[in-house]
């Protein structure tokens, strides 16, 4: 991957973040990749290859909407981490099967097939609703009590 391509992809993504107020997931995905490297080296290599060969060039070339492309990358990391299904949680707390085109206001989680595993966060909306925060606290953080609102 060329430096110019990465620089352009970063510029386009930064503009999209600023324009929409969306959260920047890159640090979170980097941490997820570090964990993935330990538990699934082959999955880690797949995710790195996707980043270099698909994600960055498609954003730099204008072929992909940057926020959706990064969210798809997060979903790929979750899928190679553990088998399961990805869902989108709307503002009311209702889950629907994930589609790449779901609005950025949806909380996106990857639910493991195993009953013992916690959900993996794929993306947070810019301003999660109370139902989305409760879903996150229960399924991702494993908390059975909501924090005091005050």
């Amino acid at each position: 991957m060329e430096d110019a391509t990465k620089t352009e992809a970063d510029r386009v993504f930064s503009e999209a973040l600023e324009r929409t107020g969306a959260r920047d997931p890159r640090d979170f995905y980097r941490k997820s990749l570090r964990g993935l490297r330990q538990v699934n080296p082959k999955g880690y290599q797949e995710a790195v290859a996707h980043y270099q060969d698909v994600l960055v060039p498609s954003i730099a070339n204008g072929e992909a909407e940057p926020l959706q492309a990064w969210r798809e990358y997060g979903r790929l990391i979750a899928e190679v981490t553990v088998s399961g299904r990805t869902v989108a949680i709307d503002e009311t707390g209702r889950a629907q099967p994930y589609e790449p085109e779901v609005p950025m206001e949806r909380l996106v989680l990857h639910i493991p097939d195993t009953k013992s595993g916690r959900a993996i966060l794929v993306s947070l909306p810019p301003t999660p609703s109370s139902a989305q925060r409760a879903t996150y606290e229960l399924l991702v953080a494993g908390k059975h009590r909501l924090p005091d609102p005050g």
Side-chain angles (χ1 to χ4, degrees):
M1 169 177 38
E2 297 177 27
D3 286 340
T5 302
K6 183 171 180 342
T7 300
E8 178 62 10
D10 286 344
R11 184 191 68 74
V12 171
F13 185 59
S14 293
E15 286 178 359
L17 290 172
E18 189 174 315
R19 184 178 64 253
T20 63
R23 295 171 185 262
D24 187 342
R26 293 176 290 188
D27 283 339
F28 176 73
Y29 293 159
R30 279 186 205 104
K31 289 176 188 171
S32 298
L33 278 172
R34 281 194 292 272
L36 180 60
R37 177 187 254 169
Q38 302 302 313
V39 298
N40 183 351
K42 184 177 176 185
Y44 170 80
Q45 289 300 326
E46 181 182 337
V48 169
H50 182 88
Y51 172 84
Q52 294 173 340
D53 301 337
V54 178
L55 177 67
V56 171
S58 69
I59 293 173
N61 297 331
E63 297 168 2
E65 195 286 319
L67 298 175
Q68 287 181 350
W70 271 98
R71 186 171 60 187
E72 278 294 301
Y73 183 61
R75 188 172 68 85
L76 170 71
I77 293 169
E79 286 180 339
V80 298
T81 300
V82 64
S83 65
R85 61 188 175 93
T86 305
V87 297
I89 314 294
D90 70 15
E91 295 80 7
T92 68
R94 286 198 130 147
Q96 299 173 342
Y98 171 79
E99 297 289 332
E101 301 81 28
V102 299
M104 296 307 291
E105 291 78 25
R106 303 283 168 91
L107 169 66
V108 180
L109 303 175
H110 185 72
I111 311 295
D113 288 336
T114 61
K115 295 191 190 301
S116 61
R118 288 193 181 148
I120 298 173
L121 176 65
V122 174
S123 77
L124 280 171
T127 308
S129 70
S130 59
Q132 289 169 327
R133 284 192 308 272
T135 301
Y136 173 88
E137 292 293 329
L138 178 64
L139 298 180
V140 177
K143 295 181 180 177
H144 296 280
R145 275 185 77 158
L146 293 177
D148 291 329

